[in-house]
Amino acid sequence: YKLLVVKPEIPNVVDPNTEASPGMEMNGPKLSGDRKEEFYTFLVVGRDTGGGGNTDTIMVMSYDIPNQQLNVLNIPRDTMVNVPWDVKKVNSIYNWAANYDKDGIDYLKEEISYLIGFQPDFTVVVEWEAVGELVDAIGPVWFDVPYDMNYDDGTQDLYIHLEAGPQEIDGDEAMQLLRWRKNNKIENGKLVVYGGYPNGDLGRIQTQQDFLKAVIETCLNNLTVDKIPALAQVFFNNVDTRGTLTVNNIAWFAQEAILGGLSMDNVNFMTLPCEGAWVYSRTVGNKQSYVTPIPDETLEMVNTYFNPYLEDIELNELDLMIVNEDGSLSSTSGHVEDTYAAKPQGGSSSSSGSSSSSGSGSSSSSGNSGTTSTSTPKPSS
């Protein structure tokens, strides 16, 4: 057992700005400094292979072992990021990376570091097909399904049929729950789409958070030290940790949760503080729904729950997009990758002016073409 449980080492941080112009001294994400003791951070990506490979579920997690605190931050898929192409949704990065000779997950990790001001230690990629096996491994999960869910799409081999209300959710039903957005039906010979979350993708995020809480609670209630190696292997077989975590490391985290007494009182889920905005797309020809981070609230949340360093992250270490009244885009970094979008757009944008509870809409960004910029890369720290 001692040989199976191995404490992980923090990997060396890779500077994403190695191509920055010589002499540039502007700030970027914090890449080094004195760290908090046994404080680990993760980027967790849910990749929907049935839906074109979009990374529609993106979470930053921190596990503070001495204080037994597990914090999870959801990044809405419609979050605007500072990239050279036209439709700048964070869930588009994975599919766009190849156009810039980059690995999709590495590029996503790089952009997430600009949203939170540091680079997560470990990356975990979970395919939706694996969710069922993970849930089945810990037993059915008791969960209150918020809506009647009925959706059929033969092209994706996706069939969702769940009734609202408290019930036991098995692996197959977990996949249905997490992938549902709207209902559909055949009416008078035509396919009709209806229902869905009133606040768009943020409603889906809330359901995911609630379900993950139930999964964690089930796991904590059923997990004992003697089960750690076998359960760790189940997880390891169904996720891609990009080679930075071994099954032995996962077993170590499980051991620390059990022996350290991690409880649901210290498991916190939150969503990136943001407000809604509509921005005209020059390539799609319509207004796209986004959410943009609220700088002060984002910074406070990151430093309170996720920053692995003893020194606070500062605003100039973030790269958060701003939609101006004239339709142009700007950034807290002072640099916009897409030079066209930085120009006035004739007031063709609008903002909801709301907080993190704003609806982000459900427009997908994968596959959109865009005019790229020839501006300099993001500055190195």
Side-chain angles (χ1 to χ4, degrees), residues 151-167:
Y151 185 86
D152 296 284
D153 184 353
T155 63
Q156 295 189 56
D157 194 26
L158 177 61
Y159 304 97
I160 301 173
H161 296 284
L162 295 173
E163 293 185 0
Q167 58 197 279

Side-chain angles (χ1 to χ4, degrees), residues 18-48:
T18 52
E19 299 178 0
S21 301
M24 295 184 72
E25 297 180 354
M26 297 174 65
N27 290 323
K30 188 183 295 296
L31 299 177
S32 63
D34 294 331
R35 291 183 60 113
K36 300 171 185 175
E37 180 185 359
E38 293 189 334
F39 190 103
Y40 298 90
T41 59
F42 310 80
L43 172 63
V44 181
V45 179
R47 187 166 54 191
D48 185 0

Side-chain angles (χ1 to χ4, degrees), residues 85 92-105 107:
W85 54 88
S92 71
I93 294 171
Y94 178 80
N95 284 328
W96 268 94
N99 297 326
Y100 296 87
D101 296 322
K102 295 186 178 184
D103 174 82
I105 296 298
Y107 197 1

